[in-house]
């Protein structure tokens, strides 16, 4: 799985029937940590800087992959000790080229993205 620093990241996508392009960008995987490791890990309380960093990284990832060309609208997010994700929708509708390129995918490869 591609990573951002040492943290795994993923971008799941979905083009709806009305040509809306939705996505979820995830940073980190709580599932990789055992419950015991979570209890023993130092208490991490995310703050506004962490939220802004998640927003910036999301904007970079959806633009760099070509999924959102004109930005996105944030629909929901989660930012806590176990998980960080942001769900959004691209500002532009899916073009014919988008449909051809992304329609059969549920995840976009992030292997080639810079940190």
């Amino acid at each position: 799985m591609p990573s951002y620093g040492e943290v795994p990241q993923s971008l799941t996508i979905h083009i709806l029937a009305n040509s809306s392009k939705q996505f979820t960008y995830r940073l980190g995987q709580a599932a990789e940590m055992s419950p015991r490791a979570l209890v023993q890990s130092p208490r991490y309380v995310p703050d506004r800087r962490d939220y802004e960093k998640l927003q910036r990284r999301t904007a970079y990832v959806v633009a760099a992959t070509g999924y959102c060309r004109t930005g996105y609208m944030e629909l929901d997010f989660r930012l806590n000790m176990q998980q960080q994700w942001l769900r959004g929708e691209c500002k532009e509708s899916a073009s014919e080229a988008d449909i051809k390129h992304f329609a059969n995918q549920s995840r976009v490869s992030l292997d080639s993205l810079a940190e």
Side-chain angles (χ1 to χ4, degrees):
M1 174 174 279
S3 64
Y4 175 55
E6 297 294 318
V7 181
Q9 63 178 343
S10 67
L11 179 65
T12 56
I13 61 170
H14 185 66
I15 297 177
L16 303 175
N18 67 0
S19 297
S20 296
K21 299 189 298 183
Q22 294 186 349
F23 66 87
T24 302
Y25 174 68
R26 294 182 188 281
L27 192 55
Q29 290 275 14
E32 294 178 357
M33 294 180 72
S34 70
R36 184 177 180 165
L38 285 172
V39 170
Q40 293 175 347
S41 67
R43 293 291 177 218
Y44 163 69
V45 179
D47 60 18
R48 183 159 188 83
R49 289 186 326 242
D50 294 311
Y51 172 63
E52 290 168 352
K53 184 178 178 181
L54 178 63
Q55 286 180 312
R56 284 191 307 271
R57 183 64 185 172
T58 301
Y60 170 75
V61 167
V62 295
T65 59
Y67 192 65
C68 296
R69 293 178 301 280
T70 60
Y72 71 91
M73 298 169 287
E74 184 177 311
L75 301 176
D76 196 9
F77 76 96
R78 180 81 50 199
L79 186 63
N80 61 37
M81 187 172 75
Q82 291 86 14
Q83 57 187 328
Q84 295 183 22
W85 56 259
L86 189 146
R87 189 169 60 89
E89 184 173 319
C90 300
K91 289 183 178 178
E92 79 277 354
S93 296
S95 66
E96 285 298 318
D98 289 334
I99 293 169
K100 286 179 184 173
H101 186 260
F102 295 111
N104 295 324
Q105 299 180 45
S106 62
R107 285 187 183 253
V108 176
S109 173
L110 304 180
D111 291 333
S112 63
L113 294 184
E115 299 219 6

